Amino acid sequence: MRDRDATGVQVDDAEDRAERRTRQDWLDLALRTLVDEGIDNVKIQIMSKQLNVARSSFYWHFESREALQQAMLDDWLRKNTSPIIERAMRPAPDVIFAVINVFECWLDETLFSPALDMAVRLWARRSAEVRDVVTQADGIRVDALRRMFLRYAYPEEEALIRARTLYYTQIGQYTLEDFEAPEVRFSRGPAYLHIFSGQEPTAAHRAHLSKCIEEKFFVPLRAKMADKGGD
């Protein structure tokens, strides 16, 4: 339905505005707020003002704030866990190429968002339910990496330890916010491949890693910088 203002012009009521704001609009805003401000500021009233809709319109898409929070966790799992599993399962001629496939997640923030991952982990410190979800996600990710190493004939225990080393090294770096300059970080890529796999990378491995770094990191970075320069 539509109402008319004092001048007789039709104005949208809450139902119409709600229809123009999709469930994904609410979810995207909630996730951005989580990253930028923390879970305490993921509030219906605040977000409704930011979306320029009536507070009641939230309930067109979610039954409750708890339902929104569950959707946020589901979206985080989809965005930050599924790509790791997919790349760990991706066929590769040897284990070093397989590890490089996983490295793509650390290079491309559309495959794995460090900021979102850290925001969810901070949230988990305050909620036992969220902590359980995070613990389960970590287990799923590590298990996918473990199975990757098993495919290349590593013994069971060694496969698990290498998987944990690969995963927790990267997550720990995000947690500590210990980031080197990209040139320094990537110059050490072959050494990381050696440590994680126990095998010395060949020229073909190094070339493939360099190509991934260029395509997944530097090309999007240059494009982003060019967009900012044009603003």
Side-chain angles (χ1 to χ4, degrees):
M1 294 178 62
R2 294 179 181 271
D3 297 323
R4 292 181 180 274
D5 64 14
T7 65
V9 177
Q10 285 186 331
V11 294
D12 296 332
D13 62 13
E15 180 177 349
D16 294 325
R17 292 194 300 271
E19 290 175 352
R20 290 206 308 271
R21 291 298 187 179
T22 66
R23 183 178 188 276
Q24 194 63 45
D25 289 331
W26 283 95
L27 183 55
D28 288 344
L29 177 57
L31 291 169
R32 289 197 303 272
T33 303
L34 176 69
V35 170
D36 294 340
E37 304 175 35
I39 191 62
D40 284 347
N41 285 298
V42 180
K43 296 180 177 178
I44 300 169
Q45 184 171 357
I46 294 174
M47 291 191 297
S48 65
K49 291 180 179 179
Q50 292 174 303
L51 292 172
N52 193 30
V53 295
R55 184 177 184 276
S56 59
S57 69
F58 169 84
Y59 296 100
W60 282 88
H61 306 293
F62 298 96
E63 293 181 358
S64 63
R65 184 167 181 260
E66 289 71 27
L68 172 63
Q69 291 181 351
Q70 183 60 57
M72 292 166 64
L73 288 173
D74 292 342
D75 207 56
W76 166 70
L77 287 169
R78 178 182 62 80
K79 290 177 177 177
N80 274 23
T81 299
S82 297
I84 295 175
I85 296 172
E86 189 277 328
R87 277 153 183 77
M89 295 175 61
R90 184 181 292 176
D94 61 42
V95 69
I96 296 182
F97 280 115
V99 172
I100 294 172
N101 286 340
V102 175
F103 274 13
E104 290 183 9
C105 295
W106 318 141
L107 297 170
D108 185 350
E109 291 192 1
T110 66
L111 300 176
F112 182 93
S113 169
L116 178 58
D117 219 62
M118 286 308 305
V120 172
R121 291 177 189 280
L122 289 172
W123 179 12
R125 294 180 182 180
R126 305 178 55 183
S127 167
E129 292 81 5
V130 177
R131 184 166 60 251
D132 288 344
V133 175
V134 171
T135 299
Q136 183 179 25
D138 285 334
I140 291 170
R141 297 172 186 180
V142 170
D143 188 63
L145 297 173
R146 178 189 66 85
R147 287 184 283 114
M148 178 188 74
F149 282 107
L150 286 175
R151 291 203 310 274
Y152 298 96
Y154 287 83
E156 177 69 40
E157 184 175 26
E158 183 176 342
L160 174 60
I161 298 304
R162 289 189 183 279
R164 289 169 64 90
T165 301
L166 170 57
Y167 179 67
Y168 290 124
T169 295
Q170 191 61 47
I171 296 301
Q173 188 175 41
Y174 291 139
T175 302
L176 295 172
E177 297 182 320
D178 180 21
F179 296 109
E180 303 161 310
E183 293 77 9
V184 175
R185 174 190 174 196
F186 297 136
S187 71
R188 293 173 175 162
Y192 278 110
L193 291 175
H194 181 199
I195 294 298
F196 292 144
S197 70
Q199 302 179 18
E200 187 66 36
T202 66
H205 294 132
R206 291 168 181 264
H208 183 59
L209 177 61
S210 295
K211 181 181 178 182
C212 286
I213 291 170
E214 175 65 19
E215 293 180 351
K216 298 294 184 180
F217 184 84
F218 283 112
V219 169
L221 178 62
R222 286 194 289 268
K224 185 183 298 184
M225 294 175 65
D227 288 342
K228 288 183 178 180
D231 291 341

